[in-house]
């Protein structure tokens, strides 16, 4: 076929209503057929079709339309299908594709089988998920299918070339084509289209029947209008759909009626917890509708978004800012709040994708969580044994912390669960938590090499163990302590070097005793958590970008407010100070069991240093930006004992070295660290962040001392830990813009 030849010679559209008319129009407009011929038993509609230019030819009978056609589209009310098929049969060409646009697919298949005695490989049922409450050919719109989905439900023996042509036709009209089975289509549509129409018809009818209906309609505001728009749809068409998809529709009506009854009972009994749980779960689901449609629960799969940072060199950092809340504490506040007795209120919660994944996972396990609303979250705890089985896998996006801590918690639940994540998380080691959990009696399957997904078998009795951690990991420690809350006896974890202790501090805040003996933390199982209020400080890991930015950019003077100063997190300040940074710690205070301070940072001449190994776990997340500081320092900086950096969201040693090399800065990579000679010119260039949020932000900081423009690719994941980074960075003086951001 040459490119100028249309996909079909002659398309017969039987039924010139909204969908048939729009399709005919779209085929003509897009040159997808030599001739579009229409048939309709309503002669005025047919006439109008010709006059409005919707069709090329008006056929006087259905068989006239079908004769010679290589594509026949039925666009008649579902219940008229069989009669029309009878008329088509004698005239249908042997090589013609027969399709339809009806809302129920099993009834079409049944009708075809009844009339033709079977389903030929050229019968391809279809359903465009597009429409409007308007009906008739006057409403025909060639754009109706653009950016909409069309579902095809081909039989198993479908002719693939014919399927491809039909798919091409819909794509030519601007639609995206999906294929699925007839039964699945009918179930899905019963829930997503048929039930809402039924409710709209019923609601409007009920209200119209009330005595005060005039008043009700007069005062009906936006909500009523929005909700009932579809009650103006074609009654005959919908009558046919409900009768044709009877079984699937009955199932979903029963489900809905049951849930409505539950809400009725909750209102009658003043049961606020149930009402809030249902409403907040629904609100979150509605807000994340488009994300759910991409198949990823409520959390965006960031690898599908392409965000690029563009940076112009130079600038000084000034201002008075507060970066978003601490990620580690935000995760833990939701986890412990959910398991507590009572209501926990959290201020300063990080509304980043990682902690939102944790929040959503608890909603999926039946916990009512209000918010987040400007960092405020209210968690209605369900108690240690109140979680419910989630309906499907818990998708944790990019978050290693969520997956590892959940592993401990879920190993002790009575139900099975599965933990999944994005491409980066799916490559990260989980054996470090699965192995000791198994030693406690947990049953966990991982993919090859101990990678996600984690499949956790519920109903296991856990026993406390003593565990000497081979790596200094707060995630492993926290995972085991959480499992230990449910285990028989005592669970103790010894760390080879101090790691962040937010779990221990927060457990204590919730009234759970954690015993500390040197490098060992232990809990006894069987206790309970009591709700408390939590004030999450600004994340020192996010502050780190600005500590380095203001240090390396001449003429800078910046205040960072309310920064979390937990001694297990301040490695970045210790290291920068040792390099000669000018960081003042102001107004040190303790809030909710965590030290907090304001920081003033001014530019300074930095010196290269040998980074003390004991600082590595205390600055584990800050090394990417510390490498930028090292590149801007005088002399050599050497990092050792940091092999853990290779299994973070990316291999942070190699990815940083590659990024620096792309800007003309040579470094020496070692198995457990890096050697950076400062004072080399940072040139312009393009850096690949490998989807790692901290790499992307580090190179944004590097621009302050660069000689040329820097482009950083693959930056969408900055939203996992630092929503609003670009605006905040720009406000302080970094010449940054983002392309492709939502
Ligand atoms: C975290 C612990 C650290 C850190 C991560 C958050 C936590 O990981 O890198 O960003 O919240 O417990 P490891 O425990 O793997 O070192």
């Amino acid at each position: 076929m040459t490119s100028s030849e249309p996909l079909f010679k002659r398309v017969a559209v039987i039924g010139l209503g909204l969908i048939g008319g729009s399709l005919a129009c779209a085929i003509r407009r897009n040159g997808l057929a030599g001739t579009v011929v229409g048939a309709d038993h309503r002669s005025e509609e047919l006439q109008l079709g010709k006059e409005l230019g919707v069709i090329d030819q008006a056929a006087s009978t259905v068989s006239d339309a079908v004769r010679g056609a290589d594509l026949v589209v039925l666009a008649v009310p579902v219940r008229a299908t069989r009669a029309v098929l009878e008329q088509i049969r004698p005239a249908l060409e042997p090589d013609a594709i027969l399709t339809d646009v009806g809302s129920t697919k099993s009834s079409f298949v049944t009708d075809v089988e009844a009339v033709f005695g079977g389903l030929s490989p050229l019968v391809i049922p279809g359903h465009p998920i597009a429409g409007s409450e308007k009906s008739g050919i006057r409403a025909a719109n060639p754009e109706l299918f653009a950016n909409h989905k069309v579902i095809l439900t081909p039989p198993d023996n479908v002719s693939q070339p014919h399927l491809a042509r039909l798919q091409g036709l819909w794509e030519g009209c601007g639609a995206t084509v999906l294929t699925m089975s007839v039964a699945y289509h009918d179930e899905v549509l019963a829930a997503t289209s048929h039930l809402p129409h039924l409710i709209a018809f019923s609601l409007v009818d009920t209200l119209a029947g009330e005595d005060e209906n005039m008043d009700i309609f007069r005062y009906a505001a936006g909500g009523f209008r929005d909700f009932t728009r579809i009650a103006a749809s074609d009654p005959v068409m919908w009558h046919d759909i409900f009768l044709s998809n009877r079984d699937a529709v009955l199932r979903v009506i029963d489900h809905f009626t049951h849930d409505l009854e539950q809400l009725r009972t909750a209102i009658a009994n003043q049961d606020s917890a149930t009402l809030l749980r249902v409403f907040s779960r629904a609100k979150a689901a509605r807000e994340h509708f488009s994300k759910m449609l991409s198949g990823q629960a409520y959390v965006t799969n960031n690898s599908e978004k392409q965000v690029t940072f563009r940076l112009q060199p130079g600038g000084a950092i000034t201002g008075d800012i507060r970066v978003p809340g601490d990620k580690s504490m935000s995760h833990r506040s939701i986890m412990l709040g959910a398991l507590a007795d009572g209501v926990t209120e959290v201020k300063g919660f990080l509304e980043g994708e990682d902690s939102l994944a944790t929040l959503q996972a608890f909603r999926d396990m039946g916990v009512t969580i209000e918010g987040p609303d400007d960092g405020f979250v209210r968690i209605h705890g369900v108690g240690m044994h109140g979680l419910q089985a989630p309906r499907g896998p818990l998708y944790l996006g990019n978050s290693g912390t969520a997956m590892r801590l959940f592993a401990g918690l879920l190993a002790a639940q009575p139900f099975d669960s599965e933990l999944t994540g994005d491409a980066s998380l799916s490559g990260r080691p989980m054996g470090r938590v699965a192995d000791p959990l198994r030693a406690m009696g947990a049953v966990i399957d991982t993919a090859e090499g101990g990678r996600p997904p984690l499949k956790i078998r519920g109903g296991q009795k856990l026993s406390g163990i003593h565990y000497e951690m081979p790596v200094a990991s707060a995630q492993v420690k926290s995972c085991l302590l959480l499992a230990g809350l449910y285990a028989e006896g005592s669970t103790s974890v010894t760390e080879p070097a101090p790691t962040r202790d937010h779990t221990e501090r927060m457990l204590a805040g919730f009234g759970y005793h954690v015993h500390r003996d040197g490098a060992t933390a232990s809990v006894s199982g069987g206790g309970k958590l009591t709700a408390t209020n939590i004030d999450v400080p600004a994340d020192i890991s996010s502050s780190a970008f600005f500590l380095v930015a203001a240090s390396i950019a001449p003429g800078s003077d910046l205040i960072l407010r309310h920064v979390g100063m937990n001694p297990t997190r301040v490695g970045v300040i210790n290291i920068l100070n040792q390099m000669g940074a000018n960081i003042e710690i102001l107004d040190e205070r303790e809030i909710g069991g965590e030290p907090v301070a304001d920081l003033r940072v001014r530019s300074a001449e930095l010196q290269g240093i040998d980074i003390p190994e004991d600082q590595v776990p205390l600055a584990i997340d800050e090394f990417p930006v510390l490498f930028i500081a090292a590149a801007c320092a005088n002399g050599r900086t050497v990092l050792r004992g940091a092999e853990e950096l290779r299994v973070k969201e990316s291999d942070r040693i190699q990815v940083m070295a590659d990024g620096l090399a792309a800007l003309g800065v040579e470094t020496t990579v070692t198995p457990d660290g890096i050697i950076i000679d400062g004072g080399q010119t940072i040139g312009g260039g393009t850096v690949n962040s490998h989807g790692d949020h901290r790499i992307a932000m580090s190179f944004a900081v590097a621009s302050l001392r660069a000689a040329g423009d820097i482009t950083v690719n693959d930056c969408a994941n900055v939203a996992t830990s630092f929503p609003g980074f670009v605006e905040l960075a720009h406000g302080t003086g970094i010449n940054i813009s983002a392309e492709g951001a939502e």
Side-chain angles (χ1 to χ4, degrees):
M1 201 187 334
T2 66
S3 57
S4 57
E5 245 180 79
L7 264 176
F8 290 93
K9 288 200 194 69
R10 177 180 164 97
V11 175
V13 178
I14 317 298
L16 293 178
L18 171 72
I19 301 289
S22 299
L23 179 60
C25 234
I27 293 174
R28 290 199 68 208
R29 162 86 65 95
N30 296 299
L32 298 164
T35 307
V36 178
V37 50
D40 200 301
H41 67 277
R42 300 160 298 182
S43 51
E44 304 98 76
E45 299 291 292
L46 194 58
Q47 202 44 47
L48 215 52
K50 190 82 184 48
E51 281 165 22
L52 296 173
V54 169
I55 50 175
D56 295 305
Q57 283 176 23
S60 43
T61 66
V62 167
S63 26
D64 279 354
V66 166
R67 206 162 286 121
D70 46 357
L71 174 65
V72 175
V73 184
L74 255 66
V76 297
V78 176
R79 302 270 284 185
T81 301
R82 194 172 292 202
V84 174
L85 287 171
E86 298 280 10
Q87 296 170 43
I88 285 175
R89 191 165 60 119
L92 188 67
E93 304 293 345
D95 61 348
I97 298 175
L98 177 61
T99 188
D100 78 322
V101 294
S103 254
T104 71
K105 299 283 52 106
S106 39
S107 66
F108 180 70
V109 169
T110 310
D111 288 339
V112 172
E113 284 171 340
V115 173
F116 289 87
L119 207 58
S120 97
L122 303 190
V123 176
I124 307 172
H127 177 204
I129 312 292
S132 121
E133 70 284 7
K134 302 200 187 93
S135 32
I137 195 157
R138 282 184 194 282
N141 168 12
E143 294 296 322
L144 191 66
F145 310 107
N147 302 318
H148 281 72
K149 295 198 168 59
V150 171
I151 300 174
L152 298 179
T153 60
D156 291 343
N157 63 343
V158 69
S159 155
Q160 289 299 338
H162 288 84
L163 176 61
R165 273 172 79 204
L166 183 58
Q167 179 159 348
L169 180 101
W170 281 114
E171 286 168 356
C173 298
T176 309
V177 175
L178 308 172
T179 57
M180 61 178 70
S181 74
V182 165
Y184 188 62
H185 168 276
D186 286 0
E187 287 291 335
V188 169
L189 268 290
T192 56
S193 167
H194 306 170
L195 179 66
H197 277 85
L198 189 82
I199 296 169
F201 282 129
S202 165
L203 177 68
V204 175
D205 187 54
T206 303
L207 295 192
E210 303 263 340
D211 283 349
E212 332 67 82
N213 65 61
M214 278 313 290
D215 273 351
I216 286 178
F217 284 110
R218 184 171 301 128
Y219 300 130
F224 178 82
R225 258 179 242 278
D226 285 356
F227 188 79
T228 56
R229 177 180 61 79
I230 52 179
S233 303
D234 182 352
V236 174
M237 183 175 101
W238 282 97
H239 156 272
D240 285 13
I241 289 171
F242 285 113
L243 296 187
S244 305
N245 199 19
R246 195 187 70 157
D247 294 349
V249 166
L250 289 182
R251 270 193 295 280
V252 71
I253 292 176
D254 288 348
H255 190 168
F256 177 71
T257 312
H258 169 266
D259 287 1
L260 190 63
E261 190 55 45
Q262 256 186 358
L263 284 178
R264 187 190 184 285
T265 309
I267 295 168
N269 299 344
Q270 310 249 344
D271 172 1
S272 310
T274 299
L275 291 177
L276 281 169
R277 184 176 67 242
V278 174
F279 295 167
S280 42
R281 202 165 54 202
K283 175 173 163 31
R286 184 64 183 82
E287 281 169 352
H288 296 277
F289 208 40
S290 51
K291 294 173 185 172
M292 288 169 69
L293 285 180
S294 71
Q296 298 294 1
Y298 305 100
V299 179
T300 314
N301 188 344
N302 276 312
S303 54
E304 285 174 9
K305 282 192 280 171
Q306 276 314 325
V307 175
T308 304
F309 286 174
R310 301 223 182 266
L311 297 134
Q312 280 154 12
I317 300 297
T318 54
D320 187 331
I321 61 171
R322 176 170 172 163
V323 302
D326 186 275
K327 182 149 73 79
S328 294
M329 285 187 237
S330 294
H331 281 297
R332 288 157 170 85
S333 69
I334 300 291
M335 294 181 184
L336 300 190
L339 297 176
D341 291 326
V343 176
T344 290
E345 292 190 345
V346 183
K347 276 200 307 195
F349 177 79
L350 168 67
E351 295 185 34
E353 304 236 338
D354 277 11
S355 37
L356 288 173
T358 289
L359 187 151
Q360 191 54 46
F362 278 99
R363 281 196 177 127
D364 290 345
M365 291 190 283
V367 181
T368 302
I369 304 177
E370 296 173 68
D373 194 356
D374 205 10
F376 181 78
V377 180
R378 187 179 288 121
I379 309 154
H380 297 255
V382 294
M384 294 297 290
H385 301 283
L387 295 180
Q388 293 164 18
R391 287 192 210 165
L394 297 171
Y395 176 75
L396 301 174
N398 194 244
S399 178
T401 306
M403 188 168 285
R404 296 197 178 116
L405 271 57
F406 271 118
L409 196 64
L410 292 172
Q413 300 303 319
F415 49 80
D416 293 350
S417 50
E418 180 174 349
L419 303 178
T420 62
D422 70 3
S424 152
L425 182 54
S426 299
R428 295 180 66 186
M430 294 297 146
R432 56 176 62 192
V433 289
D435 291 341
L437 285 172
R438 287 181 188 125
M440 294 177 77
V443 178
I444 302 180
D445 276 346
T446 64
E448 221 178 291
R451 315 277 161 194
L454 296 185
K455 292 188 178 150
I456 302 173
R457 178 103 49 84
Q460 310 301 313
K461 219 168 125 43
L462 303 187
S463 314
I465 55 166
H466 173 69
Y467 190 62
E468 301 269 342
M469 281 197 297
V471 285
S473 165
Q475 293 178 357
V476 176
K477 173 178 66 175
S478 303
C479 162
L480 299 181
L481 292 178
L482 289 175
L485 302 181
Y486 291 89
E488 176 110 359
S490 158
T491 300
S492 55
V493 188
T494 302
E495 46 192 8
T499 67
R500 65 191 68 189
D501 62 358
H502 304 300
T503 303
E504 297 93 304
R505 285 176 189 249
M506 213 179 275
L507 276 170
F510 278 86
Y512 208 109
H513 178 66
V514 182
H515 184 69
R516 197 16 105 174
D517 182 6
T520 304
S522 49
V523 291
S524 294
K528 69 178 190 119
L529 300 169
T530 305
T532 183
N533 290 339
I534 295 173
D535 186 343
V536 179
D539 198 327
I540 189 167
S541 299
S542 298
S543 307
F545 300 104
F546 292 96
L547 292 176
V548 172
S551 298
I552 64 171
S556 297
D557 188 350
L558 179 78
I559 303 270
L560 287 154
R561 297 281 174 196
H562 209 78
V563 179
M565 294 288 284
N566 182 309
T568 59
R569 296 286 298 281
V570 292
V572 62
I573 296 180
N574 299 339
I575 292 168
L576 283 173
N577 279 342
Q578 212 176 322
M579 294 175 81
N582 180 352
I583 301 172
E584 259 183 89
I585 300 174
L586 310 169
D587 192 15
E588 280 185 90
R589 54 221 186 253
E590 185 162 309
I591 295 184
E594 292 275 355
V596 171
D598 299 334
L599 304 178
R600 179 174 183 190
V601 51
R602 280 171 281 187
S603 2
E605 277 282 296
L606 299 182
Q607 300 298 323
I609 58 166
D610 268 15
I611 296 175
E613 278 195 43
D614 63 358
Q615 293 299 312
V616 169
L618 312 185
I620 191 69
D621 291 335
E622 289 69 70
F623 283 108
V625 77
L626 283 170
F627 294 177
I628 301 298
C632 297
N634 300 315
R636 173 169 284 195
T637 296
V638 181
L639 172 69
R640 296 185 197 83
E643 53 276 85
E644 267 298 296
L645 291 180
R646 294 196 179 271
V647 290
K648 293 293 178 189
E649 285 83 329
S650 69
D651 175 345
R652 286 185 173 158
I653 295 177
Q654 195 58 53
V655 170
M656 280 304 296
D658 293 346
L660 284 166
L663 304 180
V665 177
E666 291 312 320
T667 61
T668 306
V669 163
T670 61
D672 66 343
I674 194 165
I675 301 167
I676 300 174
D677 285 316
Q680 304 174 54
T681 302
I682 302 178
T686 298
V687 171
N688 183 350
S689 80
H690 288 262
D692 185 329
H693 52 139
R694 300 201 197 277
I695 305 280
M697 292 184 276
S698 298
F699 282 103
V701 171
S703 70
L704 290 162
R705 288 276 291 267
D709 289 356
I710 296 178
T711 298
V712 190
N713 292 327
D714 208 358
C715 300
N717 277 338
V718 166
T720 61
S721 68
F722 203 147
F725 169 75
V726 172
E727 296 72 25
L728 201 59
H730 189 262
T732 58
I734 297 180
N735 297 311
I736 183 171
S737 62
E739 268 171 26
E742 277 187 345

